[in-house]
Amino acid sequence: LDMKAAKNLARYCAGNNINIIRTQFARENYIAILAKKYYNCKAEIIHTCHINTENNIIWRTMNRFFTSYNYKIIAVCNSVRQKLIANNYPANKVQVIYNGVQYRQVIEKHDYIREAFSIDNDKAVFINLARFSEEKGIFFLMDSARLLAESGVKFALVIAGDGPLYD
């Protein structure tokens, strides 16, 4: 646990009148909570979670302690919410807010993607725009694509992004 980072964060928030901190990873969430608990940081902490994985006993114990100090915890779907609660996040603080995708705009752009990548109309099109790193689920995506292909599903997977796993 990085107490120096927590102290610096509390000082920065106080000096810049910051009243909300939004975190996305456990380490940053824990630092923000330490700033609030031990260094009198007045900011409310909102943690967002996209990952639907089971935590081990150590993480579940830490989650039980630390996340009780979060103002809110945002899950991007109901299955992530259920997994967070199973991982000892406080159910009364976990709220689902779906990632915003304008369905009509995606449908309107669909033909453009098919044309740009010469994708036949009989194939489903999946598009992934993300940083190529393990925590973004790139290996899960590849495994899922392999399973779809092995089961005979006709699809095209368009991937765009950059990151440590790009090559």
Side-chain angles (χ1 to χ4, degrees):
L1 299 175
D2 193 339
M3 297 303 283
K4 182 178 178 184
K7 186 176 183 177
N8 289 337
L9 178 61
R11 186 178 314 128
Y12 183 84
C13 289
N16 292 282
N17 296 316
I18 294 173
N19 57 12
I20 297 174
I21 299 171
R22 197 211 45 101
T23 63
Q24 187 167 333
F25 297 104
R27 179 183 181 275
E28 289 76 14
N29 191 46
Y30 294 170
I31 289 169
I33 290 166
L34 291 170
K36 186 171 188 72
K37 183 164 174 51
Y38 294 105
Y39 297 106
N40 202 30
C41 180
K42 302 295 185 200
E44 297 293 353
I45 304 160
I46 299 172
H47 180 62
T48 303
C49 189
H50 299 249
I51 301 172
N52 194 359
T53 58
E54 187 172 331
N55 294 152
N56 64 34
I57 187 69
I58 295 167
W59 280 104
R60 288 194 309 270
T61 302
M62 290 178 66
N63 291 339
R64 178 178 292 146
F65 173 75
F66 280 100
T67 59
S68 65
Y69 293 96
N70 282 103
Y71 176 72
K72 283 286 181 192
I73 301 161
I74 299 169
V76 298
C77 63
N78 283 319
S79 65
V80 169
R81 181 181 192 279
Q82 292 168 354
K83 188 60 75 174
L84 289 174
I85 293 167
N87 286 331
N88 286 335
Y89 284 68
N92 64 323
K93 293 189 178 192
V94 181
Q95 178 179 348
V96 175
I97 299 178
Y98 298 99
N99 285 329
V101 175
Q102 297 296 326
Y103 176 72
R104 295 278 179 225
Q105 291 175 356
V106 171
I107 295 300
E108 290 168 7
K109 304 282 185 198
H110 206 251
D111 288 337
Y112 168 78
I113 297 294
R114 285 185 184 283
E115 290 172 19
F117 294 99
S118 301
I119 300 170
D120 295 334
N121 286 332
D122 66 336
K123 291 183 178 179
V125 178
F126 299 102
I127 302 170
N128 182 61
L129 176 61
R131 185 177 72 250
F132 295 162
S133 60
E134 187 170 356
E135 70 272 5
K136 289 295 186 177
I138 193 72
F139 296 123
F140 177 77
L141 176 65
M142 294 294 106
D143 287 343
S144 299
R146 180 185 50 77
L147 291 172
L148 282 173
E150 288 173 357
S151 67
V153 174
K154 292 183 178 184
F155 72 97
L157 176 60
V158 179
I159 301 174
D162 200 352
L165 299 177
Y166 180 76
D167 293 329

